[in-house]
Amino acid sequence: IDRNKDIGFWFPRPERGLALANELVKKGNKVTIYHNKPIINKNVKSISVKYNFITGILQLLRSNHDIYYTSSSFLPVLQLLIIKILKNKPYIYVINSPLWRYFSENNKFLKHFYTFILYPFLLRISIHFSRYTVSNSKYVRNLIIDRYPSHRSKIKYIYNGIDFKRFKKIKFGKIKKDSPVFLCISTINFKQK
């Protein structure tokens, strides 16, 4: 994204969205985060919006950012898709794990309908109308391109790295110099008591 852009973050993942917003502000951009759980930060404006389809569309119609960004479920991306059609405002869609790779609905009919009919349709149109669709790994990017090769040029990946500070407090115990070490780092959600 170029400098001096006015960017609307539409229901981003709170922690990652705020970290990205702060970096964009440092580079000279203006960022507003819209979320049902306002994200308080001195550098980034935050607006509370109900997680509701019609309310969201009305809020987006009142907004006027240069570009929008979302990394959430289909409700926010479909809202941005409608704003793209109505106001010709571009959006960036971040998808880190395509739903066809896992699914846990209990109702088998809905599971199969959603997985094999509705989900591919929603994903295809979300990618089609996006300025870019971004994943956090080359592997996921290639999976998406394999399914939607006509959109290859707009499907990108940006490796988001590992936040090593989150793992500093984890104790691994004593390890002998010649011991083999297997380390798997995944998201850990710490709960404060």
Side-chain angles (χ1 to χ4, degrees):
I1 293 178
D2 297 328
R3 293 175 188 272
N4 302 315
K5 291 287 184 188
D6 185 341
I7 308 163
F9 275 37
W10 190 247
F11 289 91
R13 291 183 176 187
E15 188 178 311
R16 292 181 187 178
L18 181 58
L20 176 59
N22 277 321
E23 290 302 314
L24 289 168
V25 167
K26 286 180 193 173
K27 293 183 181 292
N29 298 288
K30 178 183 173 187
V31 179
T32 304
I33 296 178
Y34 298 86
H35 210 282
N36 58 333
K37 297 173 186 171
I39 298 163
I40 309 302
N41 185 268
K42 63 181 180 180
N43 300 324
V44 180
K45 183 178 177 183
S46 182
I47 296 176
S48 180
V49 180
K50 288 183 181 177
Y51 195 76
N52 174 282
F53 193 74
I54 300 301
T55 303
I57 295 289
L58 294 174
Q59 177 67 51
L60 283 168
L61 286 170
R62 289 191 298 270
S63 69
N64 192 32
H65 300 284
D66 297 324
I67 192 164
Y68 294 83
Y69 160 95
T70 191
S71 61
S72 195
S73 61
F74 273 125
L75 181 76
V77 77
L78 290 175
Q79 290 166 325
L80 292 178
L81 186 156
I82 289 169
I83 296 308
K84 164 66 176 156
I85 293 168
L86 296 177
K87 294 177 70 176
N88 197 29
K89 291 291 183 175
Y91 68 89
I92 295 170
Y93 174 40
V94 176
I95 178 170
N96 291 324
S97 188
L99 196 58
W100 73 75
R101 297 177 66 203
Y102 63 94
F103 205 87
S104 60
E105 289 288 337
N106 291 327
N107 184 310
K108 287 184 180 179
F109 173 76
L110 288 177
K111 173 183 173 180
H112 294 306
F113 176 78
Y114 190 74
T115 304
F116 299 111
I117 297 171
L118 187 57
Y119 180 81
F121 170 74
L122 292 174
L123 185 58
R124 182 182 297 277
I125 65 171
S126 297
I127 292 170
H128 176 78
F129 283 97
S130 71
R131 171 72 59 91
Y132 294 106
T133 295
V134 181
S135 73
N136 65 354
S137 74
K138 196 171 187 178
Y139 172 74
V140 173
R141 173 189 175 265
N142 291 340
L143 286 178
I144 297 169
I145 287 173
D146 287 346
R147 286 202 172 216
Y148 307 105
S150 63
H151 296 297
R152 170 184 285 276
S153 64
K154 67 168 63 179
I155 300 171
K156 309 290 183 187
Y157 80 95
I158 300 173
Y159 176 62
N160 64 0
I162 296 167
D163 184 359
F164 288 102
K165 290 177 188 173
R166 291 185 80 177
F167 302 98
K168 273 187 176 179
K169 295 179 183 177
I170 299 173
K171 304 290 182 194
F172 293 107
K174 291 185 178 181
I175 301 171
K176 294 179 182 177
K177 279 187 176 180
D178 58 346
S179 297
V181 176
F182 295 90
L183 178 63
C184 174
I185 297 180
S186 183
T187 300
I188 296 176
N189 296 318
F190 295 101
K191 290 186 179 178
Q192 300 290 335
K193 289 187 178 182

